Amino acid sequence: MSQIAALPFLPDAVIFDMDGLMIDSERVSVECWTQAARELGLPFEDGFWLRMVGLGDRDCERLLLQRIDAGQVAALFARCHDLYEHRTHAGLPLRPGILELLQLLREHDIPRAVATSTRQPRASRKLAASGLLDFFDVVVTSSDVAHPKPAPDIYLLAAQKLGKDPTRCLALEDSPAGIRAAVGAGMTAIQVPDLVHPDEELRALGHRIVGSLVDAHALLLPHLR
């Protein structure tokens, strides 16, 4: 942690991505895409699915249309959706440190929002099933904006709904698309990589990159003592 720059201020609000950051769901998603493609006999290498991490449905569809036709895309989405709903019905594991971080922010009355590429009502169902929904003042999803991540719209709307200046907000993300969205919104951003690690182009954005949410927690503590 010594080489990670300190946060410049106590944020007026903290805005969280959901999948891969708070909920350990990206692995399940990749497994469902992989299984669905195999069942349908579609020609995808396993590494392809990592390109979809953090993207909304429309951007995922555009990627798939580069490889298969529209009918195959629809069938793949439908089968993956069924597999994913079955896997996530009872809730998914939480990422290490998320409950402690949310409790810390709640204790200090720092507003909290979710900004996720998952659409409604699935986003709220997943948060509720994982026991996280009640921690948040606002939940913003790709259903609420014209342009999903990596566009900044989701983060800007979350700040607006909280009544906060985006430049005074902290964003926590795992994916490259999410980091581009948060930085584009003018927020201070911390990346906690999960399945996809930042390349040199992403690192050039200058955001903080930490190994876990425990490390993100540690960056906040000096402002809360």
Side-chain angles (χ1 to χ4, degrees):
M1 285 292 295
S2 59
Q3 61 270 47
I4 305 298
L7 292 176
F9 52 78
L10 177 66
D12 292 347
V14 181
I15 304 178
F16 292 76
D17 177 48
M18 182 176 70
D19 293 295
L21 180 86
M22 296 193 293
I23 301 175
D24 195 4
S25 51
E26 295 292 14
R27 286 169 183 78
V28 173
S29 180
V30 167
E31 289 167 4
C32 290
W33 283 116
T34 301
Q35 181 178 340
R38 286 176 180 163
E39 289 180 6
L40 295 168
L42 298 174
F44 289 96
E45 67 280 7
D46 289 347
F48 177 86
W49 309 112
L50 294 179
R51 296 169 60 190
M52 294 164 62
V53 170
L55 298 180
D57 286 350
R58 284 172 289 184
D59 287 325
C60 290
E61 183 178 5
R62 279 192 281 269
L63 276 176
L64 291 168
L65 285 170
Q66 297 172 12
R67 304 282 290 269
I68 57 178
D69 65 40
Q72 292 170 317
V73 169
L76 182 60
F77 261 92
R79 182 56 182 147
C80 183
H81 178 273
D82 289 345
L83 291 168
Y84 191 82
E85 288 296 304
H86 177 74
R87 292 281 299 273
T88 61
H89 180 73
L92 288 162
L94 299 179
R95 300 291 292 164
I98 184 57
L99 286 177
E100 293 82 358
L101 178 54
L102 288 171
Q103 288 162 354
L104 176 76
L105 296 173
R106 176 187 273 175
E107 288 167 6
H108 288 85
D109 295 320
I110 297 174
R112 303 160 300 281
V114 175
T116 175
S117 293
T118 298
R119 299 182 68 80
Q120 288 287 25
R122 178 187 277 183
S124 289
R125 284 204 309 268
K126 287 170 69 173
L127 288 166
S130 300
L132 298 180
L133 186 60
D134 290 345
F135 280 100
F136 293 100
D137 307 290
V138 167
V139 176
V140 179
T141 77
S142 57
S143 301
D144 302 313
V145 294
H147 305 290
K149 301 173 187 178
D153 302 35
I154 286 177
Y155 276 102
L156 291 172
L157 182 58
Q160 178 185 329
K161 285 181 174 289
L162 290 172
K164 303 299 181 182
D165 180 344
T167 65
R168 296 285 305 176
C169 293
L170 174 67
L172 293 170
E173 271 283 356
D174 69 295
S175 73
I179 283 294
R180 292 187 187 283
V183 172
M187 296 186 180
T188 296
I190 298 176
Q191 185 176 12
V192 187
D194 182 24
L195 294 183
V196 181
H197 289 265
D199 57 19
E200 289 307 310
E201 183 181 354
L202 194 73
R203 289 176 180 273
L205 295 177
H207 61 288
R208 291 159 180 80
I209 302 169
V210 299
S212 71
L213 287 168
V214 175
D215 294 335
H217 186 145
L219 288 174
L220 276 163
L221 277 180
H223 296 280
L224 296 171
R225 290 177 178 144

